[in-house]
Amino acid sequence: MSVPDRRALIVRGGWPGHSPEESTDLFVPFLKESGFDVVVESSLEVYADAEYMAGVDLIVQSWTMGEILPDEMRGLRQAVTDGTGLAGWHGGIIDSYRMATDYLQMLGGQFAAHPGDLVDHTVEIAPEHAEHPIVAGLGPITLRSEQYWVLADSLNEVLATTTIEPTADSPWRSPVVSPSIWTRQWGQGRIFVCAPGHQLADLETPGLRTVIERGLLWAAR
């Protein structure tokens, strides 16, 4: 029996509507099978423990909204800068700590809206990154779920996008192309973000599940 040689830290909590416990539990067996010792925390205090964080190879965060204290934010940012991977999906990673500008800068994107509730939409793989190991061999992913409108910057490597179409009642008049899946280098650390994932059923969708599993491995130190 192989001995885990890397540590994955799952930090989960915040707004319960995104099922932080149930959603992260879906990926614990995969992480263990991939050679990680998995530790689960339901508090952000662990981010402030510099000695502990220095030994973490991957952070899987599912914490929607809420607030992060300054020492927790500094610890999280320093860990990623020093090489700890950071990964997550949906509001658990891009709708966290809305007032923490250091966090928003590090992530490179922030949830802005999801026009409509559950809508049929497609996540399209970016042709220029079709060979990236996270999305290689995958085609479009179709979902009936929240479709995130995301504010983002050009440091991201956008692997997939979604197009938000206006309706007769929309205040915008042209389709909006929004990033759905991206990676980002921050210091020595890698960041992986998957904007879809509102429902547990989304995370069980074969294409999306594959993307997230690959993204976790890609981000890890």
Side-chain angles (χ1 to χ4, degrees), residues 20-78:
E21 291 82 11
E22 295 88 346
S23 64
T24 51
D25 280 347
L26 292 175
F27 295 93
V28 170
F30 170 78
L31 289 169
K32 289 182 176 179
E33 292 166 4
S34 300
F36 289 90
D37 176 33
V38 179
V39 175
V40 178
E41 293 285 347
S42 57
S43 167
L44 301 178
E45 293 176 5
V46 66
Y47 287 156
D49 186 339
E51 182 177 357
Y52 179 84
M53 293 301 297
V56 173
D57 298 293
L58 173 66
I59 302 163
V60 182
Q61 181 184 274
S62 182
W63 199 289
T64 303
M65 294 183 279
E67 295 183 3
I68 187 169
L69 297 177
D71 60 337
E72 296 164 349
M73 184 63 239
R74 284 192 297 269
L76 172 59
R77 185 165 164 133
Q78 191 62 55

Side-chain angles (χ1 to χ4, degrees), residues 37-199:
D37 176 33
V38 179
V39 175
V40 178
E41 293 285 347
S42 57
S43 167
L44 301 178
E45 293 176 5
V46 66
Y47 287 156
D49 186 339
E51 182 177 357
Y52 179 84
M53 293 301 297
V56 173
D57 298 293
L58 173 66
I59 302 163
V60 182
Q61 181 184 274
S62 182
W63 199 289
T64 303
M65 294 183 279
E67 295 183 3
I68 187 169
L69 297 177
D71 60 337
E72 296 164 349
M73 184 63 239
R74 284 192 297 269
L76 172 59
R77 185 165 164 133
Q78 191 62 55
V80 176
T81 302
D82 291 344
T84 300
L86 175 60
W89 52 86
H90 204 58
I93 195 163
I94 53 169
D95 192 20
S96 312
Y97 332 129
R98 293 177 180 179
M99 300 302 292
T101 55
D102 285 352
Y103 181 81
L104 303 182
Q105 182 194 30
M106 182 172 69
L107 263 290
Q110 168 64 27
F111 159 79
H114 54 83
D117 292 322
L118 305 184
V119 298
D120 294 317
H121 64 282
T122 303
V123 176
E124 299 279 358
I125 307 301
E128 65 272 25
H129 296 305
E131 300 305 314
H132 191 285
I134 293 178
V135 295
L138 299 179
I141 301 168
T142 58
L143 298 167
R144 180 171 180 77
S145 188
E146 288 184 350
Q147 185 183 28
Y148 264 15
W149 181 318
V150 174
L151 308 180
D153 67 39
S154 61
L155 191 61
N156 296 334
E157 182 177 47
V158 178
L159 306 183
T161 62
T162 191
T163 301
I164 302 168
E165 300 286 351
T167 67
D169 298 327
S170 299
W172 69 98
R173 291 290 174 259
S174 299
V176 174
V177 178
S178 190
S180 283
I181 300 164
W182 71 85
T183 63
R184 186 175 179 91
Q185 190 77 33
W186 193 260
Q188 299 301 309
R190 287 176 164 187
I191 296 172
F192 162 75
V193 174
C194 178
H198 174 65
Q199 308 167 110

